[in-house]
Amino acid sequence: MNPTIELLKSHRSVRKFTEQKIPHELLLELVRAGQAAATSSHVQAYSVIHVTDPANREAIAELAGGQGYVASASDFLVFCADMKRPTEASERTGANVVRGMTEQMLVASVDTALMAQNVAVAAESEGLGICYIGGIRNNPQAISDLLHLPEHVFPVFGMCLGYPAQTPDLKPRLPVEAILKTDRYDADNKQVAAFDDTMQQYYRQRSGGNKESDWSRNLTPLFDTKLRPHMRDFLIERGFEMK
């Protein structure tokens, strides 16, 4: 164990923040730390929108599902997969650029996620709290219009950053034995069943006995209906034709 591993294992989502503002130079350093993340073929297929306009913050909070901390956090970033910059750079060299490939969308999405996680870890190392906002994808076109995102750029998620006004309990994770396989994939439902018991106890303690659920039951809303079915058509409109 070392301080870096301890920091990584202490991650929790923070949704209540103090009024203290993050110094701008520190925010820039966090983004620079994000840029140091691994990136496929040095493409760096991401852009980050720092949303400072209070009206836009309020609008995004509603578009993301009524998440008020989007507006109340010191800072709010929208991490965007960006294939506009690299394809245009390549085109300026005289390359016959092919756009809209599924692989391009995957590269940009992975690059963006890796970059954002570096920002998150850097922020937590400075005593800040963060919360990812996947609800950005509830209304991706409205978010894109609000942020003037061009073709071949799409919002992947947002991130609230600020000085925490709460210390939430650590949420348990699946036992490593459930996810670390040796040589081949194998399913072990016993590990999931044991984790369900762990999560049931966690929810009881957190809610004072008012929530009876577990990991498997909490997944139901994600899989018993088509989740964000608008995303396919939205990405095609963005110029990713899934070729």
Side-chain angles (χ1 to χ4, degrees):
M1 297 299 292
N2 61 54
T4 300
I5 293 176
E6 291 286 358
L7 174 67
L8 290 166
K9 292 174 66 177
S10 69
H11 167 72
R12 62 205 73 195
S13 294
V14 172
R15 295 177 174 86
K16 294 181 181 179
F17 302 93
T18 70
E19 294 182 0
Q20 182 179 355
K21 298 299 182 184
I22 299 173
H24 186 64
E25 186 54 42
L26 174 55
L27 186 67
L28 293 179
E29 282 301 303
L30 300 182
V31 175
R32 291 183 184 113
Q35 289 182 273
T39 169
S40 179
S41 301
H42 205 219
V43 174
Q44 304 171 81
Y46 43 69
S47 287
V48 183
I49 311 297
H50 181 204
V51 185
T52 62
D53 185 300
N56 285 351
R57 291 269 293 269
E58 291 284 354
I60 293 172
E62 288 306 308
L63 290 168
Q67 302 188 64
Y69 28 94
V70 169
S72 62
S74 171
D75 292 271
F76 183 71
L77 305 176
V78 178
F79 290 83
C80 302
D82 185 349
M83 268 294 164
K84 181 177 189 295
R85 183 191 305 112
T87 52
E88 289 184 352
S90 180
E91 202 165 43
R92 286 194 293 272
T93 71
N96 183 22
V97 170
V98 178
R99 291 182 169 85
M101 301 296 292
T102 300
E103 176 65 8
Q104 292 175 359
M105 184 195 69
L106 290 172
V107 164
S109 299
V110 171
D111 267 17
T112 303
L114 292 173
M115 190 269 188
Q117 187 61 12
N118 259 30
V119 172
V121 174
E124 290 173 338
S125 77
E126 287 288 327
L128 300 174
I130 73 100
C131 184
Y132 281 99
I133 305 296
I136 286 289
R137 299 190 302 279
N138 289 353
N139 293 283
Q141 187 58 59
I143 298 289
S144 298
D145 293 342
L146 190 68
L147 302 180
H148 301 277
L149 302 184
E151 192 177 42
H152 299 114
V153 179
F154 65 91
V156 182
F157 44 68
M159 182 188 291
C160 299
L161 299 101
Y163 291 92
Q166 62 175 175
T167 306
D169 291 338
L170 286 175
K171 184 174 284 188
R173 296 300 198 255
L174 283 160
V176 69
E177 294 82 7
I179 63 167
L180 180 62
K181 316 293 183 180
T182 301
D183 293 327
R184 64 184 180 84
Y185 187 95
D186 65 273
D188 187 348
N189 292 330
K190 292 181 181 179
Q191 295 286 353
V192 172
F195 188 60
D196 278 339
D197 291 339
T198 298
M199 288 304 299
Q200 186 174 52
Q201 185 62 28
Y202 167 80
Y203 287 127
R204 283 174 180 168
Q205 291 178 349
R206 192 180 73 171
S207 67
N210 293 322
K211 180 174 180 176
E212 280 292 327
S213 190
D214 55 36
W215 184 68
S216 296
R217 281 185 281 173
N218 255 27
L219 297 177
T220 299
L222 301 178
F223 300 113
D224 70 350
T225 186
K226 292 183 178 180
L227 185 65
R228 296 182 180 127
H230 55 265
M231 284 302 298
R232 183 179 183 275
D233 288 343
F234 166 74
L235 289 169
I236 291 172
E237 287 293 322
R238 290 277 102 191
F240 293 92
E241 300 175 20
M242 313 299 175
K243 299 174 183 176

